[in-house]
Amino acid sequence: EISIYYKLLPGIFLIIPGLLEQRGNIASSFAQRIGSAVHLGIVDWSKKFNDEMIENLKAVIIMAFLNAIVLAIGAYLLATLKQIPSITIIGYFLFAIITTSIAILMAPVTIIISLYFHRKGIDPDNVVIPILSSLNDIFVVCIIITVLRLMLWLSNFIPIV
């Protein structure tokens, strides 16, 4: 229903910049760690998912979900304080967690891009972050649009609005 859509949007606009920034910051730090690991020989094509890489992936996942929870709470509090028509706290949590869950799929892409450029003799530190920033922005915006549509559907079953 169109009225629910308009009620969702103002609150969602509060959380979108944070989600985009979160992905950029986490992906950049992860790419730097991968770049360093590639230079040190800790990571290469033969040992893509060694213990070091698994620990880094765990850290990325934990940081992403903690940030998503903080963003959801912050957006809800801001919307409540400013009396912005918005979704419920459950809606914010669902939106942030679902978006973050899908966005985490970019972590293996980071590893592959880093290893690819290293194999080609190009320093991953110089090219991976700009490429990932662009890919993450495009990917996360597509995810946000998809999750927004999902939230509209879920509002029929869960008190989101």
Side-chain angles (χ1 to χ4, degrees):
E1 182 178 307
I2 201 74
S3 64
I4 292 173
Y5 183 75
Y6 286 118
K7 189 167 183 182
L8 278 172
L9 280 179
I12 296 300
F13 284 150
L14 293 173
I15 201 169
I16 288 173
L19 288 172
L20 287 171
E21 191 65 27
Q22 165 202 348
R23 286 305 314 145
N25 291 339
I26 292 173
S28 295
S29 63
F30 183 58
Q32 282 301 117
R33 292 182 63 86
I34 299 302
S36 296
V38 167
H39 290 306
L40 295 171
I42 297 170
V43 176
D44 62 23
W45 286 106
S46 64
K47 37 186 168 171
K48 275 183 273 198
F49 291 102
N50 58 15
D51 290 340
E52 175 94 13
M53 193 54 51
I54 291 170
E55 290 301 314
N56 279 311
L57 285 170
K58 285 180 190 175
V60 165
I61 292 168
I62 290 168
M63 286 189 306
F65 282 111
L66 287 176
N67 283 335
I69 291 167
V70 170
L71 282 170
I73 292 169
Y76 176 75
L77 290 175
L78 184 61
T80 303
L81 290 173
K82 294 289 186 177
Q83 298 178 347
I84 298 170
S86 186
I87 56 180
T88 64
I89 188 74
I90 295 168
Y92 277 113
F93 278 125
L94 282 174
F95 185 80
I97 297 297
I98 293 169
T99 303
T100 299
S101 298
I102 299 168
I104 286 176
L105 297 174
M106 286 298 288
V109 173
T110 304
I111 298 167
I112 292 166
I113 290 173
S114 295
L115 291 173
Y116 173 78
F117 280 108
H118 185 261
R119 178 183 273 180
K120 295 292 182 186
I122 300 170
D123 186 359
D125 293 335
N126 294 333
V127 293
V128 174
I129 291 177
I131 290 171
L132 281 177
S133 295
S134 299
L135 288 176
N136 270 322
D137 286 348
I138 294 166
F139 188 58
V140 172
V141 167
C142 292
I143 291 169
I144 287 170
I145 292 167
T146 304
V147 171
L148 185 57
R149 300 293 297 173
L150 175 65
M151 297 284 288
L152 286 171
W153 179 77
L154 284 174
S155 68
N156 294 318
F157 312 103
I158 301 172
I160 294 173
V161 180

